[in-house]
Amino acid sequence: MNNNHTFEVCIIGGGVIGLSIAYYLAREGVKAAVFEKDVTASKASSAAAGMLGAHSELSGSPQYREFALSSQAEYTSLAEELYELTGIDIELVNKGMLKLAASEKELHDLKRQVLLHNSLSLLSAQETSEMEPYLSKETLGGLYIPGDGHVEPQKLAAAFKRAAVSMGTEIFEHTSVLSIDEQKNRLVTDRGSFSFRKLVIAGGVWSGLFTQKLGISETFYPVKGECFSVMPPAKVLTKTIFYDECYLVPKRDGRIVVGATMVPNDWNTDVSAGGISFLAEKLKAVFPELAACPIRTFWAGLRPQNTRKMPLITEHPENRNLLIAAGHYRNGILLAPGTGQYIRDLILEVPGRKHAEDFCLKKNVGVQA
Amino acid sequence: MNNNHTFEVCIIGGGVIGLSIAYYLAREGVKAAVFEKDVTASKASSAAAGMLGAHSELSGSPQYREFALSSQAEYTSLAEELYELTGIDIELVNKGMLKLAASEKELHDLKRQVLLHNSLSLLSAQETSEMEPYLSKETLGGLYIPGDGHVEPQKLAAAFKRAAVSMGTEIFEHTSVLSIDEQKNRLVTDRGSFSFRKLVIAGGVWSGLFTQKLGISETFYPVKGECFSVMPPAKVLTKTIFYDECYLVPKRDGRIVVGATMVPNDWNTDVSAGGISFLAEKLKAVFPELAACPIRTFWAGLRPQNTRKMPLITEHPENRNLLIAAGHYRNGILLAPGTGQYIRDLILEVPGRKHAEDFCLKKNVGVQA
Amino acid sequence: MNNNHTFEVCIIGGGVIGLSIAYYLAREGVKAAVFEKDVTASKASSAAAGMLGAHSELSGSPQYREFALSSQAEYTSLAEELYELTGIDIELVNKGMLKLAASEKELHDLKRQVLLHNSLSLLSAQETSEMEPYLSKETLGGLYIPGDGHVEPQKLAAAFKRAAVSMGTEIFEHTSVLSIDEQKNRLVTDRGSFSFRKLVIAGGVWSGLFTQKLGISETFYPVKGECFSVMPPAKVLTKTIFYDECYLVPKRDGRIVVGATMVPNDWNTDVSAGGISFLAEKLKAVFPELAACPIRTFWAGLRPQNTRKMPLITEHPENRNLLIAAGHYRNGILLAPGTGQYIRDLILEVPGRKHAEDFCLKKNVGVQA
Amino acid sequence: MNNNHTFEVCIIGGGVIGLSIAYYLAREGVKAAVFEKDVTASKASSAAAGMLGAHSELSGSPQYREFALSSQAEYTSLAEELYELTGIDIELVNKGMLKLAASEKELHDLKRQVLLHNSLSLLSAQETSEMEPYLSKETLGGLYIPGDGHVEPQKLAAAFKRAAVSMGTEIFEHTSVLSIDEQKNRLVTDRGSFSFRKLVIAGGVWSGLFTQKLGISETFYPVKGECFSVMPPAKVLTKTIFYDECYLVPKRDGRIVVGATMVPNDWNTDVSAGGISFLAEKLKAVFPELAACPIRTFWAGLRPQNTRKMPLITEHPENRNLLIAAGHYRNGILLAPGTGQYIRDLILEVPGRKHAEDFCLKKNVGVQA
Ligand SMILES: Cc1cc2nc3c(=O)[nH]c(=O)nc-3n(C[C@H](O)[C@H](O)[C@H](O)COP(=O)(O)OP(=O)(O)OC[C@H]3O[C@@H](n4cnc5c(N)ncnc54)[C@H](O)[C@@H]3O)c2cc1C
Ligand SMILES: Cc1cc2nc3c(=O)[nH]c(=O)nc-3n(C[C@H](O)[C@H](O)[C@H](O)COP(=O)(O)OP(=O)(O)OC[C@H]3O[C@@H](n4cnc5c(N)ncnc54)[C@H](O)[C@@H]3O)c2cc1C
Ligand SMILES: Cc1cc2nc3c(=O)[nH]c(=O)nc-3n(C[C@H](O)[C@H](O)[C@H](O)COP(=O)(O)OP(=O)(O)OC[C@H]3O[C@@H](n4cnc5c(N)ncnc54)[C@H](O)[C@@H]3O)c2cc1C
Ligand SMILES: Cc1cc2nc3c(=O)[nH]c(=O)nc-3n(C[C@H](O)[C@H](O)[C@H](O)COP(=O)(O)OP(=O)(O)OC[C@H]3O[C@@H](n4cnc5c(N)ncnc54)[C@H](O)[C@@H]3O)c2cc1C
């Protein structure tokens, strides 16, 4: 590989975030280069359950929720676009989510959520049973959130990639970015150096390596999530189920994804016997019959979290050539389209995009003295 | 399992043929029972490339071609129906097929095919190159067949199954049918006996076991086909390619299926090093760059052939309660909808269905003296 | 395949039992034919944990125990022989077994077992802890059984097979035996018919198909067992652990096999989420740290049980040309050498072999009136 | 992870080379820390065929050959030691190697090799046929090299690791070393910094990252090797076969490893259809029947080569705290014990070890001005 390539935009990381950015840039004619130390979408982005939980997942600032809702809203047209361009169907399902209360405390929380989104209303135990007949009779009622669907993250990443590559994006797999030379606008990799005009750090949980050196005070850490999937013989579930911090996502091909544990600071992606057991117990509690279904496979991934507990999607406060899009934690699939579009707009200097600015604003990103 | 179940219709074999029959019956309210010695769609039906080669594959009687064309024509609405009922997308692709001549002899054969289907016309080497830019410059021209698309056989089988089960079909996996008691309308399995009003033998290449005893003279034998798939980094192929008895099928997810060897009378489904090598050489000849692409996986399956070299889709000549739908050889995916509908019509005694009768006609099926 | 092959001995079933018989016959120059409907050692014999639990597993008649002990005693020389002949190491481990009491009731049972085998003595909780330092402090003590080691069943089967084939045994895979013609000493398979002088039914749980027709009253049924394996980073366990009906087998390559559930009458070999969870809970109870170890894989198999709850290893009471070796339930690995030798002796009409006769005696096998 | 750990010895890279060094140090009571960016033995060391080709592989200086021979000679006792310590059998096979001539040119080369090692003598085509009866009749004769056996590289690495860990070595997986601070004797990783007294760079082909910065002029590059394995039904081969730059290694479990292509400068570990085809053609040429055998699996790995075409196993010419053990190209398994011992001796300042010095001598390592 030549040592002196120059790219308009270089992107560190070939997860859904990096690939979404590459895709939205390519659509505007900007042929970025994506650097990926392993192969694309092999980390968090291949482990995600794919829920688009704009209503169910997010608390925090109204601006963040607004950003999430608008990212979610992109999916309908995005699914069509990507299918058109690549033939890949990202398996968008829009059947909504049922959030069940496992305890009085959770019932209380659901009630609060009802207040936040005034389109929602609480359901009794019987009403939830009518919605999902195989549900255990033991639950205390729940919340039905029609807007929160899901996609297949691996297909999403594959479609972003294929579309971006077909429009001229270059992807360097097996290429680790080792350091950034801010002064010279250069990137050092273990395959040679590259020059850029703009650089986007989209390295998931590994982004901390660079942000630290660039003076950003938030540190990154993984929250490992373990999952498994079961394949019931017939359709027993239509909506995503949320229960006691776990979820069941009924995929289009019949699999049900059961997730996910929360193991902070574990960089390994092994799945433990205890982790599977933990999830299986939850499954048994809500869908007793599903626990008897054949398990297909299990896996784990690292959610990219940071100490600020909010994704960083912004320009570097002191150097507008450096951008960061990392720390999407439990919601990187949901936020991928919004993040890609927002970073594109920053790079192309499109005016507007208020809401994201409001929660990712330069002044909010801690810069170390 | 109870020893005395009775079903309106019993079907031996849970491949695409058995499942298609179960599906079309279920749509008419007939809840059949499918008996499968292993798990559904684990034999030929999971190995197929999924081409719908009504124009490219078939020679023989005009009635057979007509049957094949009408089965192919079912796919557009079937794909929608199955998606509606199950959420499973059978990945129908309708981009046509390009049949290349590897030699003067093959060019000659293509010319003859042009005469058969007067909608087709021969292309020069340059014209084929324009259609598929990555094609080797060495080919002698070809035939473009717009009507011959493809589906994903495993998804087709899964969708037939899920739809049929949701409408009341019962599927007994891990259940071998051992013998048929014609007199008593009973089926003996290794899990007990079952009574039927109508019985359909859809056991793929293993159907010979029963046909022989029922006095049908055609014997069945396997023609093993080995395949592999490659995953090119970007889209390099849009149409199915047929070349020197091998084919390349560009799947919706980006894989290209390369198939298939022809090994008669081998009951093993091992893939040999020589088999892969044989196919890779063909690949190199037409798409030199594809031979350098990463291989994803390899597999083999047994095409159900019989000595008459024509599928048997018919009632038993002497016992109208026994039906047979087996011997689809290289075209069971193509013929699955047509076969399912035809057998349904025979069972429900729907009048008509001429063309199939013409090539599967009772009098044509050899009954041993 | 020719329709008129004749073999001195035909064996139905290519599990460890059928292969052991073939091996011991081959050593005496008898080249048997083994018929296997799938591939060899793909059923129970590939699912077993491989324990040789002659002391720990067996209750019942003293003759049965004696048979088991002598089969176990074969392993040392067998391992050497097979290594010599094939280069395959069956991974015999002779570090003993620790049977822990999970409750006062189990403690009581262990005490009874001490009385049976006067070589054994009960250990206090502290003594067991000293033996296995990672053991939970909660156990009530246990029994150390030095004689009960283990092997790798898949390697055992592979070695039997390779050795037998090298000495002339013929193995027909993908060949189902459909029926036995007792009168004509013929076997009907879906690949043709074969003549034999002696026939051995070693079809595991599927043997019931033939025994029933041969007038033997015991019926066969599966008891599914689910397992998984974990891979601890370092050696934490040296002995096999038995606890609350589950076990942990520390394999030579560092894996620990955790088994096994007991699901009667389920013919599927799917593994359920609930099954894994059940085992993981037991694991957590005895080795809390192991539950956090990475899980490698999971699987299930069908233990061949019969209503007499005793393996049938004998000649047919009324036809000495028919032999049966099936129903080894939880102990087919342990009993494989003994069974192979005993059947060999019956076929070669070697006098003696008292103990097996005593529990498999013709008169004891129920023959239906 | 704490930021201020200090280790006597830090090792970059958890392949066989890094693990061998850790093992030999641990045996002397030195508890090293191994840093591995992925998981141990997941790169070249898991892809190797495992041949110990001290006679067949090496040309070059007599000192290098001497080093290789003495490393090879270690294997007999090493296999025993590792088995003792870990229970893992590294599957050492000492049946020798048969190097066949595919052309007159190769025959000539073999003759030269005979002169080098005066223990060897050339065999006629008939003599080779007698040695390996399934050999094609077309070969021109060959060389029998009794001393060149093989091991199972994955088991070797697992045994080194398990033994080292049990003696106190710490292994940090998922931890990339990013840079070395020579002045402060510190290592920077993406999981924090570590201090060392001695540092060993054993990063395989990725070692170039550090050597370059340390002023060593040799640059590293990968030579990708693709392989596959076949499983013949019975033993057809006893010796390793070398033919036309490819080889066949008959493993103890019955698999035959067929390797390997030579693709310089490709950092991907994908296997191409063309690569398999290339190997299968060679296989067909020497063992026609083997090409029909079932293929089990395929894989690829990156041989760590450098521009000096000689492994670097030495101290840094200007800083004795930095050592390097990388660039073992096609012979890292062969050279692992010798390399581990030699680095151990350098660290413990054991006098002697001439032969390695002679080819890895400080003065020979190019240091950039
Ligand atoms: C079990 C689980 C379930 C989840 N479920 C959901 C869900 O239902 N919905 C949802 O919205 N989100 C979900 N998530 C979260 C979602 O997966 C993540 O937020 C998202 O994938 C993050 O994408 P990313 O591209 O930032 O990170 P990653 O996918 O981790 O990608 C980062 C990439 O950067 C590469 N990289 C890092 N450093 C370098 C370097 N120095 N040089 C080169 N390459 C580098 C890495 O190799 C990696 O491929 C889930 C996560 C987990 C683990
Ligand atoms: C490599 C390859 C490529 C192919 N490509 C194409 C293609 O592109 N297009 C196309 O149209 N066709 C293709 N085919 C052909 C197609 O796969 C077959 O024609 C079709 O799958 C036959 O379906 P089936 O249901 O009859 O057989 P199978 O799929 O073999 O199913 C028969 C089932 O019956 C079960 N069974 C048998 N006996 C018994 C018994 N006694 N008791 C219980 N169960 C029993 C079996 O276990 C099996 O599951 C291909 C085939 C191969 C091998
Ligand atoms: C989870 C589990 C753990 C176990 N652990 C242990 C243990 O630790 N120690 C121990 O001693 N035992 C153990 N066992 C029991 C042991 O596995 C069995 O007892 C033993 O494998 C039985 O061997 P088999 O050859 O009789 O049966 P199988 O292995 O089932 O083989 C029978 C074969 O016959 C073939 N067959 C059947 N019918 C036909 C036909 N009509 N035509 C052609 N082929 C036919 C089948 O395909 C099959 O391959 C365990 C079992 C399970 C499931
Ligand atoms: C197809 C093939 C066949 C072969 N056959 C043989 C054979 O028959 N006989 C033989 O002797 N040899 C053979 N070899 C060669 C042998 O595999 C290699 O020489 C040997 O494995 C090299 O070992 P290594 O530890 O140096 O490299 P590797 O196994 O590649 O290990 C290096 C490790 O360092 C890690 N690493 C690198 N950089 C960093 C970093 N910055 N931070 C943390 N970790 C890092 C890597 O992740 C890797 O795990 C073969 C090789 C191939 C590819």
Side-chain angles (χ1 to χ4, degrees), chain A residues 12-18 35-39 42-45 47-51 175-177 202-204 206 210 225 227 247 260 301-304 328-334:
Chain A
I12 304 176
V16 281
I17 298 302
F35 298 91
E36 169 52 54
K37 61 178 171 162
D38 199 330
V39 295
S42 54
K43 309 297 179 195
S45 300
M51 291 176 296
T175 307
S176 287
V177 179
W206 298 271
F210 304 111
C227 299
Y247 46 76
L302 307 184
R303 300 179 191 89
H328 293 73
Y329 189 45
R330 295 170 63 107
N331 290 296
I333 306 307
L334 166 64

Side-chain angles (χ1 to χ4, degrees), chain D residues 73 80 87 141 153 193 215 217 220 226 231 242 247 257 355:
Chain D
E80 273 170 36
S193 294
S217 58
F220 283 75
E226 297 156 303
M231 183 61 118
F242 231 101
Y247 46 77
V257 172
H355 49 70

Side-chain angles (χ1 to χ4, degrees), chain C residues 13 15 17 36-37 44-45 48-51 177 203 329-334:
Chain C
I17 297 303
E36 169 53 53
K37 61 178 169 161
S45 300
M51 289 176 297
V177 179
Y329 190 45
R330 294 171 63 106
N331 290 296
I333 307 305
L334 166 64

